[in-house]
Amino acid sequence: MIYDTDFDSHIFECIVNNASGQSRHCARNSVHHLERATRLKEIDPEMAVLRAITAEEEAATAIFLVLKEKGYHNAEKIRFKDHAYKHALEPFLRAIFKFVEAWSKEPGFPFGSEYSLFLIGSESERKLSLSFQFQGQTITCDPPLGFSIKLNDRVYFFEQELLEIASGESRQDIIRYVKRMANHRNKVLYAQASGIPNVTGIDGFLERRRAVVVSFLRIYVLIYPYTDKSIFVQQALDCFLGLMGHIELAENV
């Protein structure tokens, strides 16, 4: 298996046993591709890399599809078959984590190291929950992402953190960065002017893709079991679509 902990193994069991729809199949397939990548890394490293890339794409697709299945506003605008969309999800989520990490040092900020993920319920009712510390109290939201993140009383879009990740100065720099990432599979598969691909030393690459897939599956399990829509999930979706240029963002919402 691809998991470092029993916790993530149990999360995958929740997906297999409790989730439904096409998103469930994409989530399961992401793990299948990672397992095959591990088996192939010594005998066919190029295909191992391709399998690992596909695993990340399938895990991203699982998130995109569950947003549509749950009826989130604007979810129909996600181009879930577009490789650029799939590869944009990881840096977008990394930007959110960068924001949280930076602000966690500020007094009263409710995340940082003071949060915990835990499984609740049993059998078909089992699901992932989130709690965090705020003003000396433990807060548990239902649904678990039922909050918004604002800065100076305006919804925050995490664009500054994305610019830092992409080493750019404009939204177009972010888009170009994402397209370069999405083109990685072509460099592995197809001959270039300099010759044919030769992939070596892929353990680090496979580990990074594994970590991304596991984090995507955690997010998936924070969404699919809940009937009520999460405020922050909607905020993140709108921010993501705004980044990809498909909706206009309203800063005062």
Side-chain angles (χ1 to χ4, degrees):
M1 296 296 287
I2 65 165
Y3 308 111
D4 285 339
T5 66
D6 288 339
F7 179 73
D8 284 307
S9 179
H10 292 319
I11 284 178
F12 186 62
E13 288 176 7
C14 289
I15 295 171
V16 172
N17 297 331
N18 304 338
S20 61
Q22 186 179 351
S23 66
R24 170 182 179 267
H25 300 315
C26 291
R28 293 174 60 224
N29 201 32
S30 68
V31 174
H32 171 73
H33 278 294
L34 274 184
E35 291 174 338
R36 289 302 178 96
T38 301
R39 296 179 187 178
L40 286 170
K41 68 177 183 177
E42 301 297 337
I43 59 174
D44 194 342
E46 290 81 12
M47 287 307 299
V49 167
L50 182 61
R51 286 274 195 176
I53 292 171
T54 306
E56 180 177 334
E57 293 177 344
E58 281 285 73
T61 302
I63 292 175
F64 293 156
L65 288 174
V66 80
L67 294 175
K68 294 181 70 174
E69 291 165 0
K70 292 294 181 179
Y72 278 87
H73 182 60
N74 287 324
E76 74 282 356
K77 297 178 182 178
I78 302 172
R79 298 178 182 177
F80 66 89
K81 293 184 179 180
D82 188 326
H83 290 300
Y85 272 66
K86 299 171 188 177
H87 287 276
L89 186 58
E90 187 273 335
F92 176 71
L93 293 174
R94 188 151 36 105
I96 295 176
F97 296 147
K98 279 174 67 71
F99 173 86
V100 171
E101 182 180 10
W103 279 87
S104 67
K105 301 176 178 64
E106 297 297 320
F109 191 79
F111 296 107
S113 60
E114 300 298 322
Y115 78 92
S116 59
L117 292 169
F118 53 95
L119 289 162
I120 59 175
S122 59
E123 298 181 355
S124 63
E125 300 297 321
R126 202 171 198 198
K127 54 189 178 182
L128 189 60
S129 188
L130 167 70
S131 69
F132 54 88
Q133 299 297 314
F134 184 66
Q135 296 180 348
Q137 295 184 326
T138 300
I139 306 296
T140 301
C141 293
D142 188 3
L145 298 173
F147 53 82
S148 63
I149 292 181
K150 295 185 178 183
L151 190 62
N152 298 324
D153 293 325
R154 291 187 173 186
V155 171
Y156 192 65
F157 301 136
F158 312 102
E159 192 164 304
Q160 183 57 46
E161 288 77 15
L162 277 164
L163 287 171
E164 292 173 6
I165 290 170
S167 300
E169 298 179 353
S170 70
R171 186 173 297 181
Q172 286 305 311
D173 291 326
I174 299 172
I175 298 298
R176 282 191 284 269
Y177 170 80
V178 168
K179 288 182 177 179
R180 287 198 303 271
M181 292 177 61
N183 192 48
H184 190 76
R185 61 165 57 238
N186 294 333
K187 294 181 179 180
V188 173
L189 290 175
Y190 301 112
Q192 309 294 321
S194 56
I196 64 173
N198 181 27
V199 177
T200 59
I202 65 171
D203 285 345
F205 180 85
L206 296 184
E207 172 55 27
R208 288 192 296 274
R209 301 285 70 76
R210 184 201 67 79
V212 170
V213 169
V214 168
S215 68
F216 282 4
L217 294 182
R218 288 186 177 191
I219 293 168
Y220 177 79
V221 179
L222 284 169
I223 299 172
Y224 87 78
Y226 293 90
T227 302
D228 293 338
K229 296 180 181 64
S230 295
I231 299 170
F232 184 68
V233 172
Q234 185 65 62
Q235 176 184 346
L237 171 57
D238 290 342
C239 292
F240 181 79
L241 289 171
L243 162 70
M244 303 304 287
H246 285 287
I247 65 171
E248 292 295 324
L249 295 174
E251 294 187 359
N252 60 349
V253 296

